[in-house]
Amino acid sequence: MKPFRSILITGGAGFIGSHFTRLAVRSHPGARVTVLDKLTYAGNRANLAGLGGAIRFVRGDICDAALVARLFKGLDAVVHFAAETHVDRSLGRSADFLRTNVLGTHTLLEAARRAPGLRFVHVSTDEVYGSRARGAFREGDPLNPSSPYSASKASSDLLALSYVTTWGLNLSVTRCTNNYGPNQHPEKLIPLFVTNLEEGKQVPVYGSGRNRRDWIFVEDHCRAVDLVLRRGGAGEVYNVAGGQEKDNLAVTRAILKAMGLGRDRIRFVEDRPGHDWRYAISDAKVRALGFKPRESFASGLARTVAWYRANAAWWRPVKAGDFQSYYRKQYRQR
Ligand code: NAD
Ligand code: DAU
């Protein structure tokens, strides 16, 4: 494979996108790396701290066709992370999810079909398959999303794959399980619980706490995306799993233990509407490309807790902003 000379990363100021941007700067030396990010409530320039002149940062919207067309000139790779990503928010503000996740992806695809030779990775989620009580989904299984978030991601996956069939795009899709690690917005389970505990608060466990998720450390996910960028096939979908399935109470207990706190800090609250019971995917296909996660849940969680403890200056302003009014509204409903 020829080295990439110019890579565009959408959503690169978000959680996973910023870790991927750091990896791209290291693992594609000589490439011009551009980040396109709207800096919504979830985007944070501080996530790219220290990268300075190693990247070009463009604040903008993936739905802005003129801007996207300009940025696609001379590009040879796009890694598309930008999205609205929080299931709870999609229950109240679904239009934002359709706009960015479906129409924004469509805007990128339209630009891509006018850029011959472009390599495109569309980053998606295991949530598109829906919930299953036993066994694991494979890439060819039908999609059965439960929330406006996962339905918008499923729509964007299908749209992206249709551009391979219709326009011959060199595009692959990745579908990963739950990520955790430094720089994750504190609306998501692990950073919400760690930061609540740091603030002396309780942690809100939805329903019975028995819903199950598979967890992967963010740097492992990024290595898988980079591998798919280099070696993935056009029109192929790759599941990316952490191989560390746990119920939410087990995750909560692990956080409490890592922070030296007791179970009295758990508060059971009303369940999320449409709460998927369990996600599970088979990752044999990406493993056949050479991928294997490196971080165990215990070591990844220890790194994550240590990061949030050392970086209150990162998360305190985030929790004080839009987050406050969002969560006040959520808790009133319970
Ligand atoms: P995030 O919410 O932390 O970051 C999303 C980023 O996209 C933010 O920087 C935001 O400013 C930017 N953005 C949003 N709308 C935009 C727009 N219209 N134009 C330009 N930028 C915009 O998200 P994340 O958790 O890092 O997820 C990144 C991607 O990975 C998403 O596509 C998500 O569906 C997928 N994914 C996430 C997980 C997970 O566990 N977090 C797992 C599997 C897949
Ligand atoms: O599976 C991949 C998906 O993982 C990604 O596509 C999504 O972008 C990402 O947000 C994540 O979705 P989840 O809904 O699984 O993540 P969340 O952190 O919101 O919740 C994880 C589990 O914890 C879920 O079962 C709901 C539960 N939960 C969550 C929160 C925020 C609680 O019990 N209490 C909470 O306060």
Side-chain angles (χ1 to χ4, degrees):
M1 191 201 75
K2 274 206 316 218
F4 295 118
R5 289 153 301 148
S6 183
I7 305 174
L8 178 71
I9 301 169
T10 72
F15 165 47
I16 307 170
S18 62
H19 284 273
F20 183 82
T21 301
R22 287 180 194 284
L23 175 65
V25 166
R26 280 197 315 273
S27 69
H28 297 274
R32 176 181 169 89
V33 175
T34 303
V35 167
L36 170 61
D37 197 296
K38 187 177 173 183
L39 295 182
T40 66
Y41 79 92
N44 193 336
R45 276 304 305 259
N47 290 345
L48 299 169
L51 286 174
I55 61 165
R56 174 170 65 135
F57 182 81
V58 178
R59 183 172 190 178
D61 193 328
I62 57 166
C63 299
D64 180 344
L67 171 65
V68 167
R70 258 199 324 278
L71 293 176
F72 270 55
K73 288 210 175 82
L75 266 193
D76 46 18
V78 176
V79 187
H80 173 34
F81 291 93
E84 290 290 340
T85 61
H86 192 38
V87 173
D88 291 331
R89 285 186 194 250
S90 82
L91 308 180
R93 297 186 60 91
S94 49
D96 292 348
F97 286 70
L98 299 186
R99 184 181 177 279
T100 287
N101 300 1
V102 183
L103 298 179
T105 301
H106 174 251
T107 307
L108 298 173
L109 294 168
E110 277 295 298
R113 80 178 173 89
R114 295 182 172 85
L118 184 81
R119 173 85 182 116
F120 196 125
V121 177
H122 172 67
V123 179
S124 190
T125 167
D126 62 352
E127 294 202 16
V128 297
Y129 297 113
S131 184
R132 75 187 279 166
R134 281 175 299 281
F137 289 110
R138 304 183 74 88
E139 287 83 352
D141 286 339
L143 307 188
N144 186 23
S146 309
S147 71
Y149 162 66
S150 51
S152 68
K153 291 295 291 188
S155 307
S156 66
D157 286 18
L158 295 178
L159 202 54
L161 291 168
S162 80
Y163 274 63
V164 178
T165 310
T166 303
W167 301 110
L169 249 61
N170 181 4
L171 175 149
S172 308
V173 175
T174 59
R175 295 186 181 141
C176 189
T177 54
N178 283 58
N179 284 227
Y180 69 100
N183 306 89
Q184 187 170 29
H185 193 284
E187 66 191 355
K188 307 282 169 34
L189 176 77
I190 290 180
L192 176 69
F193 283 17
V194 171
T195 58
N196 270 15
L197 293 168
E198 279 288 281
E199 292 174 308
K201 296 180 185 161
Q202 287 188 299
V203 296
V205 173
Y206 296 163
S208 65
R210 294 295 178 195
N211 301 63
R212 302 179 75 80
R213 298 289 183 269
D214 171 51
W215 294 92
I216 187 167
F217 192 67
V218 61
E219 290 172 1
D220 281 329
H221 179 196
C222 290
R223 286 192 303 103
V225 170
D226 194 40
L227 190 65
V228 170
L229 174 67
R230 293 165 194 271
R231 297 206 204 136
E236 298 294 335
V237 177
Y238 298 90
N239 289 342
V240 181
Q244 309 191 70
E245 184 183 329
K246 299 184 185 311
D247 72 25
N248 293 337
L249 270 179
V251 172
T252 306
R253 284 197 294 266
I255 295 170
L256 289 168
K257 189 168 171 219
M259 297 182 72
L261 295 167
R263 293 184 192 180
D264 56 309
R265 304 294 282 276
I266 297 176
R267 182 160 67 101
F268 287 95
V269 299
E270 194 181 313
D271 210 353
R272 169 188 279 174
H275 194 176
D276 278 330
W277 181 252
R278 173 175 176 266
Y279 300 137
I281 50 176
S282 154
D283 65 352
K285 195 168 161 185
V286 79
R287 282 186 182 250
L289 286 187
F291 175 69
K292 194 165 174 241
R294 290 180 186 155
E295 197 78 50
S296 72
F297 187 72
S299 63
L301 186 64
R303 283 178 68 183
T304 305
V305 169
W307 189 86
Y308 282 92
R309 281 187 152 157
N311 288 280
W314 181 91
W315 56 263
R316 281 194 198 280
V318 177
K319 277 188 119 172
D322 156 75
F323 189 87
Q324 282 285 3
S325 57
Y326 171 72
Y327 270 88
R328 258 201 301 274
K329 211 159 46 191
Q330 291 281 109
Y331 285 120
R332 257 208 311 274
Q333 287 166 7
R334 292 189 177 120

